[in-house]
Amino acid sequence: MSPAIATLEQHLLAALDPAPQETRRLFHGRGRCWPGLEQITVDWLDGVLLVALFREPPEGQLAELEAMLMALAERPQWSGQAILLQHRYLPDSPGQWLWGAPCQQREVVEDGLKYLLDLGVRQNNGLFLDMRYGRRWVREQAAGKRVLNLFAYTCGFSVAAIAGGAEQVVNLDMAKSALSRGRDNHRLNGHDASRVAYLGHELFKSWGKVRKYGPYDLIIIDPPTFQRGSFVLTQDYAKILRRLPELLTEGGTVLACVNDPGIGPQFLIEGMAEQAPGLAFVERLENPPEFADADPEGGLKALVFRQG
């Protein structure tokens, strides 16, 4: 076994003894702290071990990885039901069930809240685990507030906000299927559906609809780096920032996020100062410790701003 795969094996044996009580990232090779493993992440999805490859492994490593994972399932530390290997570097990010019974959907728990994930059928499963502290922060801030969740995806922030006592959450995302899963997530948690609205629209054509529900006490912006035909982060983020003053209440708060390793927090701080100077930078949220990065600027950037 190569030193890199042996290192990964030791990490997983330690992380699964015992396994986490809730869904967690177990190994974050993309943080570039472990030479030879930069392309690998491993997540514990409440009984399913999801191993993702973001680049084609060097010659021989894939076979070693598969053999190590199959042996892991025979270890006394193992308490899972299945192992899924996802080839993110291939078209459509195909999933390969190495061990156990395939399960295309999985209910997981994070901070006591339930989310329904899709496994092995699309590139992303429905919950970005590096945003755990961000969802926790929203839950802590949300009581009595009107919340706008832009690029809502499967409404993880919305679930956290309603759990925290938000008066109303408006979720906007052009992917109606993702919003449908968001409805599932709210139902799973027994939330009052009348407090949640869904706008299945492209943001830049929908400012009127967004304004109709406002003004908002809290706005969350967590966009993709690139969405073909609709959003390019370096070009389009500024268009959102300049709209914030008219959408926010006095004293309203913004959680603005970037998850491109090549773009540091100054992109948002300087962009806000230029486009919405009435919003002051408050803090950058910490990332969960399991997402350690060799370059602190390289990981998730989740920044808080406040108006007035």
Side-chain angles (χ1 to χ4, degrees):
M1 186 184 298
S2 68
I5 296 301
T7 295
L8 177 60
E9 180 184 46
Q10 291 308 307
H11 271 273
L12 296 182
L13 288 172
L16 294 169
D17 189 17
Q21 294 297 303
E22 296 189 339
T23 190
R24 283 290 184 276
R25 172 70 43 99
L26 300 185
F27 183 81
H28 187 58
R30 301 190 84 201
R32 296 160 293 179
C33 296
W34 307 103
L37 297 168
E38 294 86 351
Q39 73 276 19
I40 299 176
T41 64
V42 183
D43 294 330
W44 176 256
L45 305 179
D46 291 17
V48 173
L49 194 74
L50 171 60
V51 183
L53 296 172
F54 287 80
R55 289 198 316 267
E56 184 172 7
E59 186 175 354
Q61 192 184 72
L62 181 58
E64 274 195 334
L65 175 64
E66 291 181 4
M68 182 271 286
L69 293 171
M70 295 293 285
L72 180 70
E74 304 302 322
R75 296 272 198 155
Q77 292 96 329
W78 175 250
S79 60
Q81 289 91 52
I83 299 175
L84 173 61
L85 182 61
Q86 186 182 23
H87 299 268
R88 292 279 298 248
Y89 57 92
L90 293 175
D92 301 322
S93 301
Q96 172 189 357
W97 292 94
L98 290 182
W99 188 90
C103 52
Q104 289 196 344
Q105 290 189 341
R106 189 79 174 177
E107 184 181 308
V108 301
V109 177
E110 178 196 83
D111 279 350
L113 298 174
K114 300 173 184 176
Y115 301 90
L116 189 61
L117 306 189
D118 295 303
L119 303 183
V121 292
R122 48 178 58 91
Q123 179 173 300
N124 296 312
N125 60 40
L127 191 68
F128 294 111
L129 301 186
D130 57 350
M131 194 56 86
R132 177 162 61 95
Y133 283 3
R135 285 184 287 270
R136 184 181 295 175
W137 181 89
V138 166
R139 187 176 184 174
E140 292 167 351
Q141 302 293 318
K145 292 183 177 176
R146 299 183 65 82
V147 180
L148 173 62
N149 184 18
L150 298 177
F151 306 95
Y153 188 39
T154 57
C155 305
F157 281 118
S158 181
V159 169
I162 293 295
E167 177 187 320
Q168 175 91 36
V169 183
V170 176
N171 295 291
L172 184 141
D173 199 290
M174 64 186 295
K176 292 182 173 65
S177 60
L179 293 179
S180 178
R181 178 48 48 84
R183 287 187 176 88
D184 295 337
N185 288 334
H186 277 293
R187 276 196 296 268
L188 269 180
N189 290 281
H191 290 163
D192 180 355
S194 69
R195 291 160 61 193
V196 188
Y198 305 90
L199 300 177
H201 303 293
E202 200 270 301
L203 174 59
F204 297 117
K205 299 174 182 175
S206 308
W207 290 117
K209 293 183 177 70
V210 170
R211 273 197 305 271
K212 185 179 75 171
Y213 285 93
Y216 304 93
D217 306 295
L218 172 60
I219 297 177
I220 301 152
I221 314 166
D222 185 22
T225 299
F226 176 78
Q227 201 167 49
R228 187 179 301 279
S230 67
F231 190 82
V232 179
L233 189 141
T234 52
Q235 299 172 23
D236 295 327
Y237 216 128
K239 300 175 189 175
I240 303 172
L241 300 182
R242 72 176 64 123
R243 294 273 187 166
L244 293 175
E246 67 191 73
L247 297 173
L248 277 168
T249 57
E250 182 63 25
T253 306
V254 173
L255 179 63
C257 309
V258 169
N259 200 0
D260 183 324
I263 298 176
Q266 286 305 120
F267 170 80
L268 285 173
I269 294 171
E270 293 170 3
M272 192 74 80
E274 181 178 344
Q275 302 295 337
L279 275 82
F281 172 62
V282 178
E283 63 174 328
R284 176 182 175 181
L285 302 185
E286 287 188 5
N287 291 330
E290 61 269 26
F291 285 88
D293 201 294
D295 176 8
E297 308 285 273
L300 171 67
K301 278 72 64 173
L303 276 59
V304 178
F305 299 85
R306 188 161 292 123
Q307 176 157 277

